[in-house]
Structures are given as structure tokens and as C-alpha cells.
Amino acid sequence: MKTRRAKREAAVEEEVTPEQPDGVRRSVRNVLAPKRLQYSPESCETPKKKKAKTHYLDDIQSNREDTKEEEDSDIENSDVERSYDGHVGLSAYELERLENIRQNQAFLSSINMFQATAALKQPAQPKPSQRGLARSQTVKEVLPPRKSLRLQNKEAEILTLPPEPRETRVYDVWRPDKKPPGPLSMNPVNMVEGSQLPSKLVELFSEVSTEDGKVALDLKEYRSALKTMRLTEDRVAKVVKERIFSAAFHPCSTNLLMAAGDKFGKVGLWNVGGGWGDDGVLLFEPHSRPVNCLAFSRAHPSQLLSLSYDGSLRCTDVERAVFDDVYDIEDGLRTFDFMSHDCLTLVVGNSFGEVAIVDRRTPGNSHESLHVLDPKVVRCVSVHPVQQQYFAAAESRVVSIYDSRCLKKTKNQPVSQLHGHSLSISSCYFSPCTGNRVLTTCMDNRLRIYDTSAMTTKVPLLSSISHDMKTGRWLTKLSAVWDPKREDCFVVGSMLNPRRVQVFHESGQLQHSFTDSEKLHTVQSVTAFHPTRNALLGGNSSGRLHVFSD
């Protein structure tokens, strides 16, 4: 079989005709010289001359056969070798290339490169826990398509601009409606309307702790107890829908029962391992703005007091299933604390630099007396645990200690002051056992401990700890709080990576850092210790509580 190249060269040779014997010269204008390539054969046989006229279909079929023959000839003449197993083999170059690939893969396997690559492909942070409240499904409103009035041959509508607002503040427009005064029924938002509270929840709220939680432990034993506390999957749950502003432990010791308040006035109750609601979570809505302060009554554990920016202070009574109205003003409440052992007298601070003395035994929701302390704001108040006539107030850039028996309407003079703060003070708390220490949290990135064993005019500073407080506008401000079981240790959230919760001694020594690479990936702005058990909670800005326990 002759190839197409051989046939083409033979046809060219036929067109080059010699001179005729009769001496007549023919034109060689259309005669082409034979094309010689480097890979052309030296000699090829002259094929038989085809007929001058052939059918069009016959030419197409002949060309197809010639192409196939040429491909077969090229394969036979190439350097491709056939393998012994019947498959088409590879050239020496490709065999060497495959051998190099095999050696490279063996080397990468020996240094565990494939395992490291698979680890890098995994997400940096695992998906947060889905326990607790389910994420609400928002339905997007489908608007009708816009149509041109001009194309519809309609006249354009004449719109008039609304009148310009006068003396309207931006935050007044977005402020939600305040709840009506008076008692509110406890209807869980995350349950069917009309559902009653679980009987087990009422029993837990009424339980009084019989353990003496304030057992004296030396510092080494305390550190050992902290190291036994772990964070497990069932101790992470979404308790409220928005950013957590406050949280507290119920004093019961048989179960871990907690409360958390969020940005839009909701209060969530979570019993770890509970079988009601969403994984033991019940959500209520007693307020309309951030719940800045939560505290369980020490004398009546079934009562939970909550204070909100909307100006309302309510008492959650699970036995009656109502939110009682304790104290109410237009807006601007910031903090409160109990001033008596029966927890019936309160001191309440607001955003206008005032404190109110409230007696819950008095009918109505008003105060007994109102006193101006600071011209700007009172961010936190804390009552002395032993001498309860004294309370500390976090004012603009100083913490002042007042005697409630000597308060006036204006121009009140403090008993003593805690100086040294250069920026605004987030919180201040007396030590829980004796009140001989005051712990302050300041936005100048310092935690300070003062000695208040003697109520002198200027309280001496014991220690100052550097701590990052720059949380930004989307996180709740960090606040250091005492461990209620000890006199000398406190807990605070941290901005460090990896995320952690830190426990310090009053001397400034770090006792322990609570971390978990799998389940703790957010800043725990709100922290609190259990009053009797070895348990610690941390709340973040997505409404989740993380509980470390033994």
C-alpha cells in the first residue's frame, strides 16, 4: 500500500514531461518541481496512472482510505513500543517521567505531606454548636416587578416630599416599644403559645443549696480544681438570639441552671441536660432593650431580677409564672445590687449619674429616694457584703464609696475614693466574703485591685494588671468579676488568640486559662462562677453560653 505522500510525488513526476521528439517545446509554466522533505523516502515506486475522470464519491472514499493507511504507516515507523501484555506501551521518555512521578510521591508520603495537605483543606474553625435555640428562618419579601410608566403611556405620579424632621434623634426612631408597666405573664417565646412552665423548672428554682460553697482552699488546691474543669459538647448552647449583655448561675447544686439577657430585652433560661424547650432552653421577653444586669435573689432563689436600658427592673417569679414590675422610669437604668440580706432593698444606678434606693415591700414601682452622685453616669454599683450601708459606684473616671445613711439629693460626698483610672470604668465589685478588696475594670487596659479593709479617704492600690479591653462596638465590654467561693481570685474574658477565659489572683498572677480548640472560638465577654460548684460560664455575642465544669 502506497502512502498519500508517495502518490503525490508520483503525480508531480508525471506532470514534468520531456521534450517532444518533433522539436515542439511545451510550456512548463504550470509544471511544479517535486517537493523533497527531510523525512521523505529516497525512492518510491511510481504508481499506475489514474483515470482522468472519476466519480466524486469515489475520490472521497479513496482519500479516507489513504489517510488511514498513512496513519498506520506512521505508527509502524514511530518509536512506540508494544508491551508484552497486549496494551500499547510508552516511549522511553514517558516511562522515565512516570518513574520520576512515582519516586516523588514516595518521598512526599515518607514526610506525611498528603496528611498535612488534607489538614489544611479542612475549615479553620468548626461550625458552632447547634444546641439550644434554632436559627430563625427569615422569609424575603417578594416585591412586584417595576414597570416603566412611560412605556405604558401613563402619566408620571407627582410625589411630594415629606416634611423635614425637627428635633428628632436618630436612636429615637429605632427604639422599640417599651413593655407596658405591671406584671407580665411568663410565656416562652420558643414554645407553643399558652404552654405552661415545666414543673421540673419550678422545682429547680425553689431549690436552696445546702453545700457550704466557701470552703477555704489553698491556692495550689484551687488551681488543681480549675484544671479539672472541661468544656463538653452538651455544655454549649444558644440561649438567647442576640448579643449577651449579662448572665448568672442559679445557686442550686443538683443541676447547672443559668440565665442570660440579650440586646433586645430577651431573657433565656438554660438547664444543662433539660428535656424542655430547645435542648433545655426557654426564652422570654420581659424587656425591649438590652438586659444589662441579672441576679438571683440569695434569700429567695425562685426570684430572678433583671434590669434593662428601657428603664424597667423586673422580678421573675416562676412560682407565679409572672414578671413583676419592681422599679420603672422612662429609660436609662444601668445597674443594681442588693442592700439587705433578705434582698428586698436595692440600690439602682442610671445613665444620668443618679442612684435610687428601692424597697420592694413598698407598693408600686417607684423609689424611696433619689440621689445625684456624678454629673454623667453611674455604670456599676456594688454593695459591701458585710457592712451593707456602704456601696461602691463606678462613675466617670473614679470609683467612689458612699454611705447610704448619709446620702442627700445632691452634692453627696463619698467616704473614700479609688483613684488612678485614666479612662471610663466599666465595673467595680467588692470581694464576696469580707469586702476588703475592690476589683475595677477600666478601658485604659488595666485591671486594678484596691485594699478597702480600712475606709480611708484614699484607698491604696494593691496591684494593677495589664489586660486588653478594646472589644469594639460589636462585642460586650469585658468585666472582671470575683469567684464567689474565694476572696482573692477573679475571672475575666480575653481578646487573645486562641480564645480563652482567664482566672487571676489578686496579686496579678495568672492561675489558669480555660481554652478549647474545638468548641471555644469566640470572645467570652460575660463570665461568672457558680456560687457553690466548680463551674464557670462564658457568654459571647451570638447568644451562646459555654460552661466549663468538673
Side-chain angles (χ1 to χ4, degrees):
M1 299 295 294
K2 297 181 179 179
T3 63
R4 181 185 297 180
R5 186 183 304 109
K7 292 181 179 181
R8 184 173 60 250
E9 294 177 356
V12 171
E13 290 179 358
E14 288 182 358
E15 292 180 2
V16 182
T17 56
E19 294 184 358
Q20 299 296 327
D22 55 358
V24 179
R25 298 185 59 183
R26 297 182 179 273
S27 173
V28 294
R29 182 179 301 171
N30 296 329
V31 177
L32 298 177
K35 185 180 293 186
R36 301 287 296 178
L37 301 177
Q38 295 180 359
Y39 49 82
S40 299
E42 295 297 334
S43 61
C44 54
E45 299 179 0
T46 302
K48 294 182 179 180
K49 189 174 182 179
K50 292 185 178 180
K51 294 182 179 180
K53 294 183 180 180
T54 58
H55 196 272
Y56 178 71
L57 296 179
D58 295 340
D59 292 343
I60 294 177
Q61 183 67 24
S62 176
N63 291 337
R64 290 178 179 176
E65 294 178 357
D66 294 344
T67 302
K68 185 176 181 181
E69 292 175 359
E70 183 177 357
E71 292 175 353
D72 294 342
S73 176
D74 292 341
I75 292 175
E76 291 177 358
N77 297 331
S78 66
D79 59 349
V80 175
E81 300 176 355
R82 291 186 178 272
S83 59
Y84 295 100
D85 56 359
H87 298 283
V88 177
L90 301 175
S91 64
Y93 166 77
E94 292 185 346
L95 291 175
E96 183 179 358
R97 172 178 170 272
L98 292 179
E99 178 64 19
N100 292 338
I101 293 174
R102 188 191 64 78
Q103 294 179 1
N104 292 339
Q105 289 180 346
F107 173 73
L108 295 177
S109 300
S110 63
I111 62 175
N112 298 325
M113 181 61 70
F114 297 112
Q115 291 84 342
T117 304
L120 291 176
K121 291 181 180 179
Q122 295 179 357
Q125 294 184 358
K127 192 175 181 180
S129 173
Q130 302 302 310
R131 297 178 62 85
L133 297 176
R135 180 175 296 179
S136 58
Q137 300 293 335
T138 57
V139 180
K140 187 176 180 180
E141 181 182 1
V142 180
L143 300 176
R146 299 179 60 184
K147 297 182 180 180
S148 172
L149 296 178
R150 179 180 61 82
L151 297 178
Q152 301 178 49
N153 296 324
K154 295 181 180 180
E155 295 293 335
E157 299 179 2
I158 300 177
L159 302 177
T160 58
L161 295 176
E164 294 183 2
R166 296 180 179 178
E167 298 181 359
T168 302
R169 294 176 294 182
V170 176
Y171 55 84
D172 286 341
V173 178
W174 299 100
R175 180 177 298 176
D177 295 335
K178 186 177 179 179
K179 300 293 180 181
L184 300 176
S185 59
M186 293 184 65
N187 296 322
V189 178
N190 60 329
M191 294 181 67
V192 181
E193 186 176 356
S195 301
Q196 295 183 352
L197 296 178
S199 58
K200 180 65 175 177
L201 178 65
V202 179
E203 294 177 4
L204 289 177
F205 260 78
S206 304
E207 179 183 337
V208 179
S209 178
T210 58
E211 298 182 12
D212 185 8
K214 300 179 182 179
V215 178
L217 296 176
D218 60 25
L219 208 55
K220 184 176 181 180
E221 294 174 343
Y222 181 67
R223 284 196 296 264
S224 300
L226 294 178
K227 293 178 181 179
T228 62
M229 298 165 61
R230 294 288 184 270
L231 180 64
T232 58
E233 186 67 29
D234 60 337
R235 293 176 187 160
V236 180
K238 189 175 181 65
V239 181
V240 288
K241 294 184 177 181
E242 301 295 334
R243 187 206 314 181
I244 294 179
F245 272 68
S246 56
F249 267 112
H250 189 275
C252 67
S253 57
T254 57
N255 289 68
L256 292 175
L257 179 61
M258 291 149 285
D262 75 351
K263 181 179 179 180
F264 291 126
K266 295 181 177 59
V267 174
L269 300 177
W270 178 32
N271 178 32
V272 177
W276 56 74
D278 297 321
D279 297 317
V281 176
L282 295 178
L283 185 65
F284 304 92
E285 195 172 2
H287 305 280
S288 58
R289 295 183 62 193
V291 182
N292 198 46
C293 193
L294 281 174
F296 285 93
S297 173
R298 295 185 293 269
H300 308 280
S302 62
Q303 297 177 353
L304 169 66
L305 278 78
S306 58
L307 177 143
S308 173
Y309 284 179
D310 62 7
S312 63
L313 173 61
R314 294 185 178 274
C315 176
T316 305
D317 193 338
V318 296
E319 295 179 350
R320 297 169 45 229
V322 294
F323 293 100
D324 284 326
D325 197 0
V326 176
Y327 181 55
D328 190 271
I329 62 174
E330 184 179 354
D331 70 341
L333 292 184
R334 296 297 296 263
T335 178
F336 78 93
D337 198 4
F338 301 108
M339 292 194 72
S340 59
H341 293 289
D342 57 6
C343 300
L344 296 179
T345 305
L346 311 173
V347 55
V348 184
N350 60 32
S351 299
F352 313 109
E354 303 168 339
V355 293
I357 305 301
V358 179
D359 192 341
R360 296 171 55 193
R361 295 165 292 190
T362 303
N365 57 3
S366 182
H367 52 257
E368 300 296 323
S369 59
L370 186 65
H371 313 277
V372 178
L373 302 184
D374 184 88
K376 293 185 178 180
V377 66
V378 175
R379 293 186 176 86
C380 182
V381 293
S382 176
V383 177
H384 196 287
V386 179
Q387 306 177 56
Q388 295 188 335
Q389 69 273 17
Y390 295 113
F391 68 90
E395 299 170 353
S396 297
R397 295 191 179 185
V398 65
V399 175
S400 300
I401 300 177
Y402 293 91
D403 189 342
S404 60
R405 301 169 299 181
C406 304
L407 289 178
K408 303 176 183 179
K409 288 187 177 181
T410 59
K411 299 180 180 180
N412 290 281
Q413 296 298 323
V415 176
S416 59
Q417 288 187 321
L418 285 60
H419 295 279
H421 307 88
S422 59
L423 293 177
S424 61
I425 303 169
S426 303
S427 63
C428 63
Y429 296 104
F430 278 104
S431 55
C433 301
T434 63
N436 291 337
R437 301 288 185 268
V438 169
L439 170 65
T440 66
T441 305
C442 185
M443 294 303 295
D444 60 3
N445 296 331
R446 308 296 296 184
L447 303 175
R448 295 177 174 87
I449 298 94
Y450 293 85
D451 182 6
T452 55
S453 56
M455 291 295 180
T456 58
T457 305
K458 292 186 178 180
V459 179
L461 176 65
L462 288 181
S463 60
S464 179
I465 306 170
S466 176
H467 198 77
D468 186 9
M469 297 293 172
K470 307 303 182 184
T471 57
R473 63 178 299 186
W474 305 115
L475 301 181
T476 304
K477 291 181 180 179
L478 301 182
S479 179
V481 294
W482 294 100
D483 183 350
K485 301 182 292 295
R486 291 190 64 87
E487 180 72 12
D488 55 354
C489 292
F490 59 91
V491 62
V492 64
S494 176
M495 297 294 294
L496 297 177
N497 278 310
R499 301 307 184 191
R500 66 196 69 185
V501 178
Q502 296 177 314
V503 179
F504 288 94
H505 187 258
E506 63 176 10
S507 63
Q509 181 183 4
L510 178 64
Q511 301 300 304
H512 186 65
S513 292
F514 292 94
T515 59
D516 192 298
S517 59
E518 297 181 357
K519 295 175 281 296
L520 187 66
H521 305 284
T522 55
V523 176
Q524 306 299 301
S525 300
V526 180
T527 55
F529 268 108
H530 195 281
T532 58
R533 293 182 53 175
N534 290 330
L536 168 69
L537 68 81
N540 64 11
S541 292
S542 64
R544 286 181 172 82
L545 285 180
H546 303 72
V547 181
F548 292 84
S549 181
D550 51 9

